[in-house]
Amino acid sequence: MLRVAIPDLVSPSYFPAIAAVELGYFKREGLDATIELLFPVTRTYEELRDGRLDFVAGAAHAPLYAFPNWKGCKLLAALSQHMYWFLVLRRDIRAKRGDLRALKGLHIGAAPGPVDGLKRMLADTGMDPERDVKIGPIPGTAGSGVSFGIAAARALEEGKLDGFWANGMGAEVAVRSGVGTLVLDARRGDGPPGARDYTFPALVTAQKKIEEEPKVVEAAVRALVAAQRALKLDPERATAVGRKLFPEAEAGLIAELIRRDAPFYDPAISPQTVAALNGFAKDLGILSGAAAYDQVVATGFRHLWNG
């Protein structure tokens, strides 16, 4: 049984990997696979490095926490394009859309991995992310099986946070409840110039897997691409998966979020995307030098991106 891990269950940006398993596209390729929730993303990649997982669907820059300078892993395909987290603040703060300076002095919840994008945007805006904002973990996310975005929305509602930086489902729940206001959506152009290209969600595996089981890896990429195409054609297919895996309220929302994100469901990873990703990683201090495109991307499978 192949183990495909994700760091947050209800993120629409990771959903193509979930759909590839739950809608039968892995099975169609002759692969038995299961989806596992393993938080945070840094731990997820450590498990991949240690051989306990076969694939990870997670942030494209985060493998560098477990695989220094891209040694030992490869990006196989994009799950979707661009940085995919949302900044939500309490409605009563009355922050304006795109105004990162509204975070000064606030307590913001963010997970390891995703927090990198928020801190970089704050720095690009001229703020000190260590002094000007209190950024910390979301209360209630320490246990297994916890979906980060939903825990973030709940913590905001309970007054434990002033805001959070999390996935689209968490943002949607907070906004619909009336507790939160969407302040920033980097994927759709909010934030400093270039922020949308800091990172993106990707399907990742170990180099050892590619070398030892290339046919399995090829089949997994085909399954992902087929799932992306199916969701773009019919977002309502997400509802059945949601009913199986999500709480009732989130199951009812997933198809709408997939519909919104479907234009970003493109598996291609361009050289320009990798250059931006590496620049972000170097600024974070998790990449020590230049990394060529084929050091980062498993180029032997990119012909599959076009189906």
Side-chain angles (χ1 to χ4, degrees), residues 114-298:
V115 73
D116 297 334
L118 177 60
K119 287 184 174 181
R120 170 70 187 277
M121 286 193 300
L122 289 169
D124 285 351
T125 307
M127 297 176 68
D128 185 333
E130 306 302 329
R131 295 183 179 181
D132 292 336
V133 185
K134 181 183 178 183
I135 303 175
I138 300 286
T141 56
S144 61
V146 176
S147 184
F148 181 85
I150 299 307
R154 185 179 302 117
L156 188 68
E157 186 172 6
E158 293 172 354
K160 296 176 180 177
L161 298 169
D162 297 313
F164 63 80
W165 171 246
N167 64 58
M169 181 64 83
E172 186 73 9
V173 169
V175 170
R176 287 196 180 213
S177 72
V179 174
T181 297
L182 178 62
V183 175
L184 192 144
D185 175 356
R187 173 181 271 168
R188 293 172 175 85
D190 297 336
R196 74 198 300 254
D197 293 319
Y198 289 168
T199 189
F200 60 96
L203 184 67
V204 185
T205 196
Q207 181 64 37
K208 183 179 179 181
K209 189 76 172 179
I210 294 172
E211 292 170 356
E212 295 181 354
E213 299 182 86
K215 294 297 183 184
V216 170
V217 176
E218 180 178 330
V221 176
R222 280 199 303 265
L224 171 66
V225 173
Q228 287 173 317
R229 184 173 296 123
L231 292 169
K232 290 177 76 170
L233 288 172
D234 184 7
E236 290 298 330
R237 295 194 67 185
T239 301
V241 177
R243 286 173 177 160
K244 179 179 178 182
L245 299 177
F246 300 170
E248 183 178 355
E250 287 72 43
L253 294 174
I254 189 62
E256 175 58 27
L257 298 186
I258 298 300
R259 185 175 292 106
R260 292 182 207 171
D261 282 2
F264 299 107
Y265 285 173
D266 180 345
I269 305 173
S270 71
Q272 293 80 12
T273 297
V274 169
L277 177 70
N278 282 336
F280 175 59
K282 283 190 281 188
D283 286 345
L284 291 174
I286 58 174
L287 180 64
S288 64
Y293 180 74
D294 61 1
Q295 287 179 263
V296 180
V297 176

Side-chain angles (χ1 to χ4, degrees), residues 58-79:
H61 75 285
L64 287 163
Y65 285 102
F67 298 91
N69 296 318
W70 296 112
K71 292 179 181 177
C73 75
K74 286 288 196 299
L75 308 185
L76 298 173
L79 298 170

Side-chain angles (χ1 to χ4, degrees), residues 43-129:
R43 179 188 169 202
T44 316
Y45 283 118
E46 289 167 359
E47 294 285 300
L48 180 69
R49 177 198 62 200
D50 295 342
R52 289 188 282 270
L53 298 173
D54 297 288
F55 300 97
V56 168
H61 75 285
L64 287 163
Y65 285 102
F67 298 91
N69 296 318
W70 296 112
K71 292 179 181 177
C73 75
K74 286 288 196 299
L75 308 185
L76 298 173
L79 298 170
S80 57
Q81 299 292 311
H82 307 302
M83 188 163 68
Y84 50 104
W85 300 298
F86 297 75
L87 178 64
V88 174
L89 297 183
R90 288 196 337 264
R91 182 177 290 276
D92 62 345
I93 293 173
R94 301 187 181 280
K96 295 180 180 179
R97 181 74 177 252
D99 183 13
L100 281 167
R101 292 193 172 275
L103 273 66
K104 191 164 186 176
L106 299 184
H107 180 192
I108 305 299
V115 73
D116 297 334
L118 177 60
K119 287 184 174 181
R120 170 70 187 277
M121 286 193 300
L122 289 169
D124 285 351
T125 307
M127 297 176 68
D128 185 333

